[in-house]
Amino acid sequence: MYAPYPYPDEALESVIARYQRHMALSDKEIQRRFGANHLGGYSYLDNLANMLACAFAQEKLVDEHTMSPVLNNLSDKTYPAFAYRYCPDCLKEQEEQNGEKYWKREWLFCGVCRCKKHGKPLMLATFKGKGFFSHAGTFVVPDDIDEDRSRPVVCSNEAARLSDRLTDLLPLPHPSDEVTPYQWRSFWLQKLGQAGYTKKNLKLLQRRLMEKWEFNGTPPESLSESERNRLTNRYSWVKELFSCTTKKGIYWGHERTLKLWEEFCPDMAIGEIRKEAAKLPPFPRNE
Ligand SMILES: [Zn+2]
């Protein structure tokens, strides 16, 4: 049976979309075989893996063609957002090299907002003859993009830096260790403690993170006290870390880990961080 092989870093959704196109199958037929397409959901993984079984193991598909390994390495237990985004320069290169275009896995993940290779913001795709969200549930190829109606993703400097960090992590395989949310939280509390931060000076910590992440360390002098406070409040999530009600550990998103990592232990690899965290008690004592 024919099956298109995934290109390096191609999203799994994209492999199915190309299959549909190559075989000229209707939306209905493709949904009968794979179910509806929910970006980042991978409910069709088993069926796709069966189709590619002679060439690709399922683990390889997950490791090299989804964002799951990156998110797992960062202990992200949330349900992050996915959408169709693309880099026009990369698409051009793909077409020249392969004669067709495909979606890269990191484009569809909303934490990534720019192409590191071309240094440009990604474009949010609108599709020909379709309303903004009317492609939901179906599989689309980049040839369906309506370039005139697609717009660049608005991306702050801060978001761009986080985005580059995420793309750096793409080559990582799925972590082989288990780190509980409680261990993850304890690790970061330990790091913050070593840097002199406790429950009592949270405002200082919030301000430090604000300065680092909003202004690269030095906020402009023109910034008024109220603006400063407004920005500092964006880091109120650090309160959660120290809060007694989250004794069991918190399920936090990847961007919080990235921000603390970069500020408090930039020289540690994520694997080292996980190894250190795994040495801590997995669950609260006395419970
Ligand atoms: Zn590019």
Side-chain angles (χ1 to χ4, degrees):
M1 190 175 74
Y2 167 77
Y5 279 7
Y7 290 109
D9 269 328
E10 181 176 15
L12 293 181
E13 293 88 349
S14 178
V15 182
I16 298 178
R18 283 193 302 112
Y19 175 67
Q20 177 176 9
R21 188 182 158 98
H22 294 174
M23 302 292 283
L25 298 173
S26 67
D27 284 350
K28 220 172 157 187
E29 176 57 22
I30 211 78
Q31 290 203 13
R32 192 185 65 75
R33 292 193 201 183
F34 295 99
N37 178 20
H38 299 292
L39 286 185
Y42 315 126
S43 53
Y44 45 77
L45 181 63
D46 287 345
N47 291 341
L48 182 65
N50 280 340
M51 192 166 93
L52 297 166
C54 55
F56 296 90
Q58 183 154 332
E59 299 77 57
K60 190 174 157 75
L61 289 179
V62 173
D63 270 7
E64 297 177 14
H65 300 277
T66 75
M67 292 301 283
S68 299
V70 174
L71 292 171
N72 278 313
N73 272 292
L74 293 170
S75 283
D76 187 324
K77 301 277 198 300
T78 63
Y79 297 94
F82 287 76
Y84 281 110
R85 292 116 59 95
Y86 65 98
C87 166
D89 295 3
C90 284
L91 285 183
K92 217 175 280 169
E93 289 178 3
Q94 291 173 359
E95 187 143 51
E96 281 162 13
Q97 273 172 31
N98 313 303
E100 66 177 338
K101 304 170 199 164
Y102 59 91
W103 303 101
K104 284 187 168 183
R105 58 171 161 170
E106 69 267 28
W107 291 349
L108 308 189
F109 178 70
C110 291
V112 174
C113 59
R114 71 180 203 126
C115 170
K116 206 178 166 191
K117 182 175 179 192
H118 295 106
K120 283 184 183 169
L122 296 180
M123 304 288 289
L124 181 60
T126 302
F127 296 97
K128 289 172 199 156
K130 290 188 175 180
F132 198 67
F133 287 113
S134 61
H135 58 278
T138 61
F139 292 87
V140 281
V141 287
D143 299 80
D144 298 336
I145 294 170
D146 183 339
E147 283 183 31
D148 295 338
R149 285 165 62 222
S150 298
R151 296 280 174 270
V153 171
V154 180
C155 169
S156 63
N157 289 341
E158 172 201 15
R161 279 166 65 201
L162 291 177
S163 169
D164 288 352
R165 284 261 153 248
L166 279 167
T167 38
D168 289 344
L169 297 176
L170 282 173
L172 286 180
H174 211 278
S176 52
D177 51 0
E178 266 302 327
V179 176
T180 66
Y182 185 74
Q183 287 171 319
W184 199 245
R185 170 178 175 259
S186 304
F187 173 84
W188 290 107
L189 280 182
Q190 208 177 58
K191 277 278 164 233
L192 292 170
Q194 286 159 5
Y197 295 103
T198 64
K199 228 180 218 182
K200 301 209 170 81
N201 56 11
L202 277 181
K203 274 276 165 207
L204 276 179
L205 172 60
Q206 281 173 251
R207 182 149 291 200
R208 175 164 167 188
L209 289 169
M210 181 276 284
E211 289 181 359
K212 161 89 178 187
W213 282 103
E214 311 293 325
F215 301 102
N216 222 353
T218 0
E221 286 177 14
S222 58
L223 205 66
S224 74
E225 196 53 30
S226 72
E227 279 171 317
R228 223 175 266 261
N229 284 335
R230 186 179 56 79
L231 288 167
T232 305
N233 280 335
R234 285 169 61 173
Y235 294 86
S236 55
W237 52 266
V238 294
K239 269 187 216 151
E240 245 181 89
L241 268 178
F242 290 90
S243 153
C244 297
T245 57
T246 53
K247 231 163 137 185
K248 292 194 170 130
I250 53 173
Y251 291 93
W252 56 1
H254 59 276
E255 74 288 342
R256 295 177 181 182
T257 294
L258 288 175
K259 285 176 179 174
L260 292 177
W261 179 16
E262 175 97 343
E263 181 62 4
F264 291 101
C265 45
D267 298 330
M268 282 179 88
I270 197 71
E272 283 175 73
I273 292 176
R274 296 186 66 83
K275 213 179 272 172
E276 288 301 310
K279 287 182 196 157
L280 300 168
F283 300 102
R285 295 174 211 274
N286 316 319
E287 266 188 61

